[in-house]
Amino acid sequence: MTKLFAPYQLQSITLKNRIVMAPMCMYSAKEDGLVTPFHLVHYATRAAGQIGLILLEATAVVPEGRISSNDLGIWDDTHIEGLQQLVTNMQAYGAKTGIQLAHAGRKATVEGDIFAPSAMAFSDAYKTPREMTLADIDNVIEAFKNAAVRARQAGFDVLEIHGAHGYLISEFLSPATNKRSDQYGGSQENRYRLLRQVIDAIRSVWEGPLLVRVSAEDYAQDGTTMEDFIVFSRWMKSQGVDLVDVSTGGVVQADIHPFPGYQVPHAEAIKLGANIPTGAVGLITIAQHAEEILQNNRADLIFLGRVLLREPYWPLHAAKELGAKIEPPVQYVRGW
């Protein structure tokens, strides 16, 4: 069997293959953060396409932590019903379901005050955030914990903490955006403190698989390094994180030149350096490329993004290319 279509175990959860739909913002909720008919069609279609694990887009744990006013929310119990319907629809086609819990930090574009570790705007096009007080930090940790409880009630199989792309947690991790002089700034340990506390808070109410998405390179001289993330990933493993979803960039404005697989070396370095499973992402669009990454033990799961917006049935084409057999939904047998 090809490795791409081999099952993968995340704690007690068995993924039917190693294809993961990465979180991608759809900006299709109303200002109340509730699931809409678009979400029900969008995610169920990818599940019918036989993706092993589908991670919902960044879902805000507080209203002021939305990337946009049209983001999904999980800050209130009213969100549970719609999320539960999404889970039911995806699981009907054999997909495992996950949700990415997020706080946008200084990259939030909603009205009112926004918050960050330090009062530094991302760019001239963004508002200057308020520097978070210790009480603000405590409130955010509690919000992540409460969101995990709601995710459990909605029936998700997997949780992912969004610690990447210049949103709140990655702002704390990076010395380029964290200029604090208290226990949350300065040293590696201090910059990691918020993520440590968020993981501990979630683990107090969530026993299932837990992933963390990171930006393993800031592409900036004063930013984080790969060595930082090997250390951070060792700490994550000791706290019960099951897999690190390895992306890069977005923390500060930078000149990035992407190419197929350009982020895979970061996933490989963290996997080997921290002895923790990783997910590879970044312009992986061809089945043979995905198979090479897995066969050479460079990562454990393949996270696909925009290619799944173009090809929701990508696993079917990949299986044909690799000579693997997958089971279609019964309704589609005649076509597959």
Side-chain angles (χ1 to χ4, degrees):
M1 180 182 287
T2 62
K3 208 163 183 181
L4 185 63
F5 289 97
Y8 184 77
Q9 202 72 22
L10 272 173
Q11 287 193 25
S12 61
I13 303 296
T14 303
L15 309 184
K16 63 186 174 186
N17 58 50
R18 303 189 184 209
I19 303 168
V20 181
M21 180 172 168
M24 290 177 282
C25 290
M26 293 291 105
Y27 308 114
S28 295
K30 296 181 180 179
E31 291 204 6
D32 54 15
L34 293 173
V35 167
T36 66
F38 167 82
H39 298 104
L40 297 174
V41 173
H42 172 68
Y43 288 107
T45 299
R46 275 74 196 168
Q50 298 304 293
I51 294 164
L53 171 63
I54 297 177
L55 293 174
L56 251 62
E57 60 205 82
T59 305
V61 300
V62 291
E64 65 273 17
R66 291 172 290 170
I67 300 166
S68 81
S69 58
N70 298 116
D71 287 3
L72 286 177
I74 194 168
W75 65 79
D76 190 87
D77 287 351
T78 57
H79 295 122
I80 296 172
E81 182 179 359
L83 294 171
Q84 190 172 46
Q85 189 174 357
L86 275 180
V87 168
T88 299
N89 289 0
M90 289 185 282
Q91 290 178 342
Y93 297 100
K96 298 302 182 184
T97 62
I99 184 169
Q100 187 184 66
L101 305 180
H103 189 303
R106 70 175 186 164
K107 294 177 83 173
T109 61
V110 292
E111 293 186 6
D113 288 339
I114 62 173
F115 300 85
S118 301
M120 303 163 57
F122 178 69
S123 73
D124 292 341
Y126 286 76
K127 292 189 291 189
T128 300
R130 281 178 44 191
E131 180 171 313
M132 295 176 74
T133 65
L134 296 182
D136 292 332
I137 292 172
D138 287 342
N139 290 338
V140 163
I141 295 166
E142 187 69 13
F144 272 96
K145 177 181 176 180
N146 292 337
V149 171
R150 295 186 185 105
R152 186 187 67 210
Q153 293 170 337
F156 285 98
D157 300 301
V158 175
L159 291 189
E160 178 170 272
I161 299 168
H162 199 344
H165 301 158
Y167 300 122
L168 184 71
I169 289 174
S170 62
E171 292 165 15
F172 271 87
L173 291 173
S174 176
T177 49
N178 182 347
K179 306 299 182 182
R180 300 177 72 96
S181 58
D182 62 4
Q183 63 266 42
Y184 289 94
S187 67
Q188 275 184 335
E189 186 173 1
N190 283 358
R191 287 182 281 115
Y192 181 78
R193 191 179 306 278
L194 174 63
L195 179 54
R196 179 183 296 281
Q197 292 175 324
V198 167
I199 293 170
D200 284 345
I202 288 175
R203 272 288 174 227
S204 72
V205 296
W206 174 265
E207 296 180 353
L210 180 61
L211 319 182
V212 178
R213 173 162 259 199
V214 301
S215 284
E217 183 175 345
D218 292 349
Y219 303 100
Q221 287 187 342
D222 59 346
T224 49
T225 65
M226 180 60 68
E227 287 70 27
D228 287 320
F229 277 95
I230 289 172
V231 172
F232 294 155
S233 298
R234 288 172 183 159
W235 291 342
M236 289 182 223
K237 181 180 180 181
S238 72
Q239 290 184 265
V241 169
D242 297 287
L243 182 141
V244 181
D245 169 8
V246 185
S247 185
T248 64
V251 179
V252 294
Q253 296 188 87
D255 189 18
I256 302 172
H257 301 282
F259 56 87
Y262 74 106
Q263 296 173 131
V264 175
H266 300 81
E268 184 176 15
I270 289 174
K271 176 178 171 63
L272 297 177
N275 191 28
I276 190 171
T278 59
V281 66
L283 296 182
I284 302 167
T285 61
I286 299 171
Q288 290 285 0
H289 185 194
E291 185 69 13
E292 176 274 320
I293 293 165
L294 296 172
Q295 290 289 354
N296 287 317
N297 201 33
R298 305 178 71 193
D300 299 272
L301 296 175
I302 302 297
F303 285 64
L304 303 179
R306 297 176 193 184
V307 69
L308 292 179
L309 301 182
R310 300 188 294 272
E311 299 182 51
Y313 301 104
W314 188 91
L316 168 64
H317 308 307
K320 288 182 176 180
E321 183 178 333
L322 296 173
K325 180 176 174 57
I326 60 173
E327 293 296 326
V330 65
Q331 298 91 339
Y332 293 176
V333 169
R334 288 170 294 171
W336 287 26

